[in-house]
Amino acid sequence: MDDDFELPTSSNMDEEMDIPEDDPVSPILKVGEEKEIGKNGLKKKLVKEGEGWETPSTGDEVEVHYTGTLLDGTKFDSSRDRETPFKFKLGQGQVIKGWDEGIKTMKKGENAIFTIPPELAYGESGSPPTIPPNATLQFDVELLSWTSVKDICKDGGIFKKILVEGEKWENPKDLDEVFVKYEAHLEDGRLVSRSEGVEFTVGEGYFCPALAKAVKTMKKGEKVLLTVKPKYAFGENGRPAIGDEAAVPPNASLQITLELVSWKTVSDVTKDMKVLKKILKEGEGYDRPNDGTVVQGHDEELFEFKVDEEQVIDGLDRAVKMMKKGEVALVTIQPEYAFGATESPQELAVVPANSTVYYEIEMVSFVKEKESWEMNTQEKIEAAGKKKEEGNILFKAGKYERASKRYEKAVKFIEYDSTFSDEEKQQAKLLKITCNLNNAACKLKLKDYKQAEKLCTKVLELDSRNVKALYRRVQAYINLVDLDLAEHDIKKALEIDPDNRDVKAEYKVLKEKVKEYNKKDAQFYGSIFAKMNKLEQARARKQEAVPMAIDSKA
């Protein structure tokens, strides 16, 4: 706009007019149609439709052409006449409020006429000599483009302006290793730091806090300009000069150009930071191995193993289940998931006790076990029976967690039996009962009493007189201290099988538990009553200690 014609800021107008901060709703308009935007009298008439569906947001830098007129057609300003588009930051009070509200409803390339009441323009004072007091204005506006500017931390500490759009939609996470280029300057243009390529872990950060904050919002190949307040730069202390790089004074803001070239995804396989998988080369597709999959890998030489069969160390077993075909990864495995606290002789070397080990692996190929939806009904029953037998072998070996997984998988094969014949339904029912009972035994061994109780309940829904299910549910209830429920189940089990030794023995355990808890209750309440009694006695002594008043004239 002309040097002698300045739009007052929104903040000034708000102070004069006390306008509410309602966000306008973008109306759906046809060409030639006019509608009101918001509740303050702003109107928009669509002249030409824009592209796509996106509209600019608060903080974005927009570029427009416009012509401003009074209602009688008198033109008072035009960027078109100057042949220079006008740029400003949306929603920052750099233009009148009617512009801030109206332009955020526009799409790229859209042309609209806004009729702006005085309350959203120049109000009672006008803008002499061109705008009279209480003037309603019309602006013919074309939105040429905008540059997205985001307040990353929502506190005004880091503003991000996208210079080059990135690829896809993923962003780096804290564990990932990013490779970036950057250049940082003070507000007066002096160079503070520059790198044509540096790699760092996002969570650990680099140079100043703003870099790590920013890269977590960026896509691969994205290039941005960061405006960084001292809080996310070097704060109150600043930073001394380093080599050719200038010092950063205390409480200085920075301008940082940052490009996210690439990154390596790092996954916490075990959710305890003890097995980490860093992707060195992306794999193909979406498919990954599951338990029972035969995997072909490459670690200096080709090798093959079956997942979840203890043919390799636990950490490696878990990591390959997160790999795709063709993927190359570096896997870091701490002792708990590797060779543990004992020395372990291997083919090429002896692994010392408590060693962290590293594997660089290429997933050459894998053949997954058939999924249930790929099987006919008889194959499902056979697969369930096979998993049950595998579970039994693992249970006898004391490998309760792995056994539990086998029983769970067996039940999944036959979970939905609507297409089964009557004979197959009966087979499936017996398998469900056996697998859920055995799984409940695993859960009791693993001290997962809540799951044990749920599994026993599933069995009793199929067979209400199943003594084993009642017996194991009693054990779960005792450990969950649901003694009334335990007593109910044990009495029912004894009604069905009065001579069952295990049930009788568990009944004795239950009775002892009840006595123990009754004793604890008695002690607890006895302690409370004793304390109350002491308090009463103390109060009584206090009252006795008060001296009696006497009449000295008596």
Side-chain angles (χ1 to χ4, degrees), residues 33 48 59 72 86 98 155 185 200 293 295 336 357 374 383 420 424 427 437 442 491 493 507:
E33 188 178 4
K48 175 189 154 192
D72 64 6
F86 177 57
D155 60 1
H185 296 264
F200 65 91
T293 297
V295 168
E336 295 91 329
V357 295
E374 299 174 294
F420 287 21
E424 287 169 339
Q427 288 176 303
L437 271 175
C442 292
K491 284 178 178 177
Y507 200 7

PDB file of all heavy atoms in Angstrom, residues 33 48 59 72 86 98 155 185 200 293 295 336 357 374 383 420 424 427 437 442 491 493 507:
ATOM      1  N   GLU A  33     -22.307 -15.239  -5.654  1.00  0.00           N
ATOM      2  CA  GLU A  33     -23.100 -15.272  -4.423  1.00  0.00           C
ATOM      3  C   GLU A  33     -22.392 -14.497  -3.312  1.00  0.00           C
ATOM      4  O   GLU A  33     -21.164 -14.480  -3.233  1.00  0.00           O
ATOM      5  CB  GLU A  33     -23.306 -16.728  -4.009  1.00  0.00           C
ATOM      6  CG  GLU A  33     -24.271 -16.921  -2.852  1.00  0.00           C
ATOM      7  CD  GLU A  33     -24.483 -18.396  -2.494  1.00  0.00           C
ATOM      8  OE1 GLU A  33     -23.821 -19.267  -3.107  1.00  0.00           O
ATOM      9  OE2 GLU A  33     -25.295 -18.657  -1.606  1.00  0.00           O
ATOM     10  N   LYS A  48     -14.291 -15.391  -8.223  1.00  0.00           N
ATOM     11  CA  LYS A  48     -13.622 -16.493  -8.925  1.00  0.00           C
ATOM     12  C   LYS A  48     -13.220 -17.543  -7.904  1.00  0.00           C
ATOM     13  O   LYS A  48     -12.668 -17.201  -6.849  1.00  0.00           O
ATOM     14  CB  LYS A  48     -12.392 -15.953  -9.656  1.00  0.00           C
ATOM     15  CG  LYS A  48     -11.534 -17.019 -10.343  1.00  0.00           C
ATOM     16  CD  LYS A  48     -10.238 -16.380 -10.845  1.00  0.00           C
ATOM     17  CE  LYS A  48      -9.135 -17.417 -10.931  1.00  0.00           C
ATOM     18  NZ  LYS A  48      -7.822 -16.817 -11.126  1.00  0.00           N
ATOM     19  N   GLY A  59      -0.754 -16.341  11.322  1.00  0.00           N
ATOM     20  CA  GLY A  59       0.701 -16.400  11.300  1.00  0.00           C
ATOM     21  C   GLY A  59       1.282 -16.620   9.922  1.00  0.00           C
ATOM     22  O   GLY A  59       2.464 -16.364   9.695  1.00  0.00           O
ATOM     23  N   ASP A  72     -19.513   4.322  -2.748  1.00  0.00           N
ATOM     24  CA  ASP A  72     -19.928   5.081  -3.936  1.00  0.00           C
ATOM     25  C   ASP A  72     -19.007   4.826  -5.128  1.00  0.00           C
ATOM     26  O   ASP A  72     -19.143   5.446  -6.187  1.00  0.00           O
ATOM     27  CB  ASP A  72     -19.988   6.583  -3.626  1.00  0.00           C
ATOM     28  CG  ASP A  72     -18.613   7.166  -3.268  1.00  0.00           C
ATOM     29  OD1 ASP A  72     -17.602   6.437  -3.374  1.00  0.00           O
ATOM     30  OD2 ASP A  72     -18.560   8.341  -2.887  1.00  0.00           O
ATOM     31  N   PHE A  86       0.838  -7.184  -2.436  1.00  0.00           N
ATOM     32  CA  PHE A  86       1.006  -6.776  -1.035  1.00  0.00           C
ATOM     33  C   PHE A  86       1.164  -8.020  -0.168  1.00  0.00           C
ATOM     34  O   PHE A  86       0.406  -8.985  -0.306  1.00  0.00           O
ATOM     35  CB  PHE A  86      -0.222  -5.968  -0.604  1.00  0.00           C
ATOM     36  CG  PHE A  86      -0.207  -5.557   0.838  1.00  0.00           C
ATOM     37  CD1 PHE A  86       0.824  -4.815   1.361  1.00  0.00           C
ATOM     38  CD2 PHE A  86      -1.254  -5.929   1.684  1.00  0.00           C
ATOM     39  CE1 PHE A  86       0.835  -4.426   2.696  1.00  0.00           C
ATOM     40  CE2 PHE A  86      -1.251  -5.558   3.023  1.00  0.00           C
ATOM     41  CZ  PHE A  86      -0.205  -4.806   3.529  1.00  0.00           C
ATOM     42  N   GLY A  98     -11.067  -6.607   9.333  1.00  0.00           N
ATOM     43  CA  GLY A  98     -11.872  -7.186   8.257  1.00  0.00           C
ATOM     44  C   GLY A  98     -11.041  -7.983   7.278  1.00  0.00           C
ATOM     45  O   GLY A  98     -11.486  -9.008   6.757  1.00  0.00           O
ATOM     46  N   ASP A 155       4.046 -20.999  21.981  1.00  0.00           N
ATOM     47  CA  ASP A 155       4.332 -19.953  22.966  1.00  0.00           C
ATOM     48  C   ASP A 155       5.083 -18.779  22.339  1.00  0.00           C
ATOM     49  O   ASP A 155       5.610 -17.915  23.037  1.00  0.00           O
ATOM     50  CB  ASP A 155       5.151 -20.517  24.140  1.00  0.00           C
ATOM     51  CG  ASP A 155       6.498 -21.089  23.704  1.00  0.00           C
ATOM     52  OD1 ASP A 155       6.808 -21.032  22.492  1.00  0.00           O
ATOM     53  OD2 ASP A 155       7.249 -21.582  24.572  1.00  0.00           O
ATOM     54  N   HIS A 185      21.970 -17.173  11.978  1.00  0.00           N
ATOM     55  CA  HIS A 185      22.433 -15.787  12.006  1.00  0.00           C
ATOM     56  C   HIS A 185      21.776 -15.046  13.158  1.00  0.00           C
ATOM     57  O   HIS A 185      20.664 -15.381  13.577  1.00  0.00           O
ATOM     58  CB  HIS A 185      22.066 -15.065  10.706  1.00  0.00           C
ATOM     59  CG  HIS A 185      22.737 -15.618   9.495  1.00  0.00           C
ATOM     60  ND1 HIS A 185      23.893 -15.083   8.980  1.00  0.00           N
ATOM     61  CD2 HIS A 185      22.420 -16.676   8.694  1.00  0.00           C
ATOM     62  CE1 HIS A 185      24.258 -15.776   7.908  1.00  0.00           C
ATOM     63  NE2 HIS A 185      23.375 -16.747   7.712  1.00  0.00           N
ATOM     64  N   PHE A 200      22.577 -36.064  14.064  1.00  0.00           N
ATOM     65  CA  PHE A 200      22.401 -36.121  15.519  1.00  0.00           C
ATOM     66  C   PHE A 200      21.106 -36.850  15.859  1.00  0.00           C
ATOM     67  O   PHE A 200      20.197 -36.973  15.029  1.00  0.00           O
ATOM     68  CB  PHE A 200      22.412 -34.713  16.143  1.00  0.00           C
ATOM     69  CG  PHE A 200      21.268 -33.822  15.736  1.00  0.00           C
ATOM     70  CD1 PHE A 200      20.092 -33.780  16.486  1.00  0.00           C
ATOM     71  CD2 PHE A 200      21.364 -33.004  14.623  1.00  0.00           C
ATOM     72  CE1 PHE A 200      19.048 -32.951  16.117  1.00  0.00           C
ATOM     73  CE2 PHE A 200      20.326 -32.166  14.247  1.00  0.00           C
ATOM     74  CZ  PHE A 200      19.163 -32.134  15.001  1.00  0.00           C
ATOM     75  N   THR A 293       7.231 -67.692  11.695  1.00  0.00           N
ATOM     76  CA  THR A 293       7.738 -67.365  10.361  1.00  0.00           C
ATOM     77  C   THR A 293       9.162 -67.897  10.190  1.00  0.00           C
ATOM     78  O   THR A 293       9.991 -67.802  11.103  1.00  0.00           O
ATOM     79  CB  THR A 293       7.750 -65.837  10.149  1.00  0.00           C
ATOM     80  OG1 THR A 293       6.411 -65.364  10.224  1.00  0.00           O
ATOM     81  CG2 THR A 293       8.338 -65.459   8.801  1.00  0.00           C
ATOM     82  N   VAL A 295      12.572 -67.179   8.629  1.00  0.00           N
ATOM     83  CA  VAL A 295      13.260 -65.967   8.181  1.00  0.00           C
ATOM     84  C   VAL A 295      14.598 -66.321   7.555  1.00  0.00           C
ATOM     85  O   VAL A 295      15.335 -67.155   8.080  1.00  0.00           O
ATOM     86  CB  VAL A 295      13.487 -65.020   9.383  1.00  0.00           C
ATOM     87  CG1 VAL A 295      14.442 -63.897   9.023  1.00  0.00           C
ATOM     88  CG2 VAL A 295      12.169 -64.458   9.865  1.00  0.00           C
ATOM     89  N   GLU A 336      20.370 -58.317  28.837  1.00  0.00           N
ATOM     90  CA  GLU A 336      19.130 -59.001  29.253  1.00  0.00           C
ATOM     91  C   GLU A 336      18.451 -59.722  28.088  1.00  0.00           C
ATOM     92  O   GLU A 336      17.739 -60.704  28.285  1.00  0.00           O
ATOM     93  CB  GLU A 336      18.139 -57.993  29.849  1.00  0.00           C
ATOM     94  CG  GLU A 336      18.613 -57.347  31.140  1.00  0.00           C
ATOM     95  CD  GLU A 336      19.382 -56.072  30.929  1.00  0.00           C
ATOM     96  OE1 GLU A 336      20.071 -55.925  29.896  1.00  0.00           O
ATOM     97  OE2 GLU A 336      19.309 -55.197  31.816  1.00  0.00           O
ATOM     98  N   VAL A 357      25.493 -56.404  22.514  1.00  0.00           N
ATOM     99  CA  VAL A 357      25.917 -56.899  21.199  1.00  0.00           C
ATOM    100  C   VAL A 357      25.214 -56.116  20.093  1.00  0.00           C
ATOM    101  O   VAL A 357      24.137 -55.553  20.297  1.00  0.00           O
ATOM    102  CB  VAL A 357      25.651 -58.411  21.050  1.00  0.00           C
ATOM    103  CG1 VAL A 357      26.498 -59.207  22.016  1.00  0.00           C
ATOM    104  CG2 VAL A 357      24.174 -58.750  21.238  1.00  0.00           C
ATOM    105  N   GLU A 374      -6.787 -67.667   5.631  1.00  0.00           N
ATOM    106  CA  GLU A 374      -6.339 -68.381   4.422  1.00  0.00           C
ATOM    107  C   GLU A 374      -6.663 -69.877   4.496  1.00  0.00           C
ATOM    108  O   GLU A 374      -6.418 -70.606   3.542  1.00  0.00           O
ATOM    109  CB  GLU A 374      -4.830 -68.216   4.259  1.00  0.00           C
ATOM    110  CG  GLU A 374      -4.358 -66.774   4.089  1.00  0.00           C
ATOM    111  CD  GLU A 374      -2.855 -66.653   4.068  1.00  0.00           C
ATOM    112  OE1 GLU A 374      -2.207 -66.927   5.094  1.00  0.00           O
ATOM    113  OE2 GLU A 374      -2.320 -66.273   3.010  1.00  0.00           O
ATOM    114  N   ALA A 383      -4.473 -76.684  12.786  1.00  0.00           N
ATOM    115  CA  ALA A 383      -3.492 -75.670  13.215  1.00  0.00           C
ATOM    116  C   ALA A 383      -3.635 -75.375  14.705  1.00  0.00           C
ATOM    117  O   ALA A 383      -2.631 -75.236  15.421  1.00  0.00           O
ATOM    118  CB  ALA A 383      -3.679 -74.392  12.403  1.00  0.00           C
ATOM    119  N   PHE A 420     -18.322 -73.805  10.655  1.00  0.00           N
ATOM    120  CA  PHE A 420     -17.941 -75.175  11.013  1.00  0.00           C
ATOM    121  C   PHE A 420     -19.161 -76.097  10.948  1.00  0.00           C
ATOM    122  O   PHE A 420     -20.288 -75.662  11.204  1.00  0.00           O
ATOM    123  CB  PHE A 420     -17.359 -75.228  12.430  1.00  0.00           C
ATOM    124  CG  PHE A 420     -15.964 -74.643  12.549  1.00  0.00           C
ATOM    125  CD1 PHE A 420     -15.463 -73.763  11.609  1.00  0.00           C
ATOM    126  CD2 PHE A 420     -15.156 -74.972  13.624  1.00  0.00           C
ATOM    127  CE1 PHE A 420     -14.198 -73.215  11.729  1.00  0.00           C
ATOM    128  CE2 PHE A 420     -13.877 -74.426  13.758  1.00  0.00           C
ATOM    129  CZ  PHE A 420     -13.404 -73.556  12.808  1.00  0.00           C
ATOM    130  N   GLU A 424     -17.224 -80.392  13.679  1.00  0.00           N
ATOM    131  CA  GLU A 424     -16.099 -79.460  13.810  1.00  0.00           C
ATOM    132  C   GLU A 424     -16.319 -78.484  14.968  1.00  0.00           C
ATOM    133  O   GLU A 424     -15.381 -78.116  15.667  1.00  0.00           O
ATOM    134  CB  GLU A 424     -15.900 -78.691  12.498  1.00  0.00           C
ATOM    135  CG  GLU A 424     -15.297 -79.556  11.389  1.00  0.00           C
ATOM    136  CD  GLU A 424     -15.342 -78.872  10.027  1.00  0.00           C
ATOM    137  OE1 GLU A 424     -16.163 -77.932   9.838  1.00  0.00           O
ATOM    138  OE2 GLU A 424     -14.568 -79.280   9.136  1.00  0.00           O
ATOM    139  N   GLN A 427     -15.339 -80.259  18.071  1.00  0.00           N
ATOM    140  CA  GLN A 427     -13.878 -80.326  18.177  1.00  0.00           C
ATOM    141  C   GLN A 427     -13.300 -78.974  18.617  1.00  0.00           C
ATOM    142  O   GLN A 427     -12.408 -78.906  19.465  1.00  0.00           O
ATOM    143  CB  GLN A 427     -13.272 -80.709  16.813  1.00  0.00           C
ATOM    144  CG  GLN A 427     -13.497 -82.156  16.407  1.00  0.00           C
ATOM    145  CD  GLN A 427     -12.957 -82.431  15.007  1.00  0.00           C
ATOM    146  OE1 GLN A 427     -13.346 -81.772  14.038  1.00  0.00           O
ATOM    147  NE2 GLN A 427     -12.065 -83.387  14.893  1.00  0.00           N
ATOM    148  N   LEU A 437      -7.893 -73.293  29.499  1.00  0.00           N
ATOM    149  CA  LEU A 437      -7.512 -73.839  30.810  1.00  0.00           C
ATOM    150  C   LEU A 437      -5.990 -73.851  30.973  1.00  0.00           C
ATOM    151  O   LEU A 437      -5.463 -73.442  32.011  1.00  0.00           O
ATOM    152  CB  LEU A 437      -8.045 -75.267  30.960  1.00  0.00           C
ATOM    153  CG  LEU A 437      -9.443 -75.441  31.530  1.00  0.00           C
ATOM    154  CD1 LEU A 437      -9.846 -76.907  31.497  1.00  0.00           C
ATOM    155  CD2 LEU A 437      -9.512 -74.914  32.963  1.00  0.00           C
ATOM    156  N   CYS A 442      -0.790 -71.056  32.814  1.00  0.00           N
ATOM    157  CA  CYS A 442       0.382 -70.217  32.509  1.00  0.00           C
ATOM    158  C   CYS A 442       0.294 -68.889  33.251  1.00  0.00           C
ATOM    159  O   CYS A 442       1.277 -68.427  33.849  1.00  0.00           O
ATOM    160  CB  CYS A 442       0.471 -69.946  31.003  1.00  0.00           C
ATOM    161  SG  CYS A 442       0.859 -71.373  29.996  1.00  0.00           S
ATOM    162  N   LYS A 491     -16.962 -74.166  46.708  1.00  0.00           N
ATOM    163  CA  LYS A 491     -18.121 -74.956  47.153  1.00  0.00           C
ATOM    164  C   LYS A 491     -18.824 -75.610  45.961  1.00  0.00           C
ATOM    165  O   LYS A 491     -19.268 -76.753  46.036  1.00  0.00           O
ATOM    166  CB  LYS A 491     -19.094 -74.084  47.930  1.00  0.00           C
ATOM    167  CG  LYS A 491     -18.615 -73.773  49.346  1.00  0.00           C
ATOM    168  CD  LYS A 491     -19.581 -72.868  50.088  1.00  0.00           C
ATOM    169  CE  LYS A 491     -19.114 -72.616  51.526  1.00  0.00           C
ATOM    170  NZ  LYS A 491     -20.004 -71.673  52.236  1.00  0.00           N
ATOM    171  N   ALA A 493     -17.345 -76.418  43.128  1.00  0.00           N
ATOM    172  CA  ALA A 493     -16.455 -77.485  42.645  1.00  0.00           C
ATOM    173  C   ALA A 493     -16.606 -78.747  43.494  1.00  0.00           C
ATOM    174  O   ALA A 493     -16.622 -79.865  42.960  1.00  0.00           O
ATOM    175  CB  ALA A 493     -15.007 -77.002  42.672  1.00  0.00           C
ATOM    176  N   TYR A 507      -9.248 -75.664  49.440  1.00  0.00           N
ATOM    177  CA  TYR A 507     -10.254 -75.184  50.402  1.00  0.00           C
ATOM    178  C   TYR A 507      -9.575 -74.892  51.749  1.00  0.00           C
ATOM    179  O   TYR A 507      -9.880 -73.904  52.424  1.00  0.00           O
ATOM    180  CB  TYR A 507     -11.363 -76.212  50.557  1.00  0.00           C
ATOM    181  CG  TYR A 507     -12.652 -75.650  51.136  1.00  0.00           C
ATOM    182  CD1 TYR A 507     -12.828 -74.284  51.345  1.00  0.00           C
ATOM    183  CD2 TYR A 507     -13.711 -76.495  51.478  1.00  0.00           C
ATOM    184  CE1 TYR A 507     -14.006 -73.777  51.850  1.00  0.00           C
ATOM    185  CE2 TYR A 507     -14.901 -75.996  51.990  1.00  0.00           C
ATOM    186  CZ  TYR A 507     -15.042 -74.633  52.174  1.00  0.00           C
ATOM    187  OH  TYR A 507     -16.208 -74.118  52.677  1.00  0.00           O
TER     188      TYR A 507
END
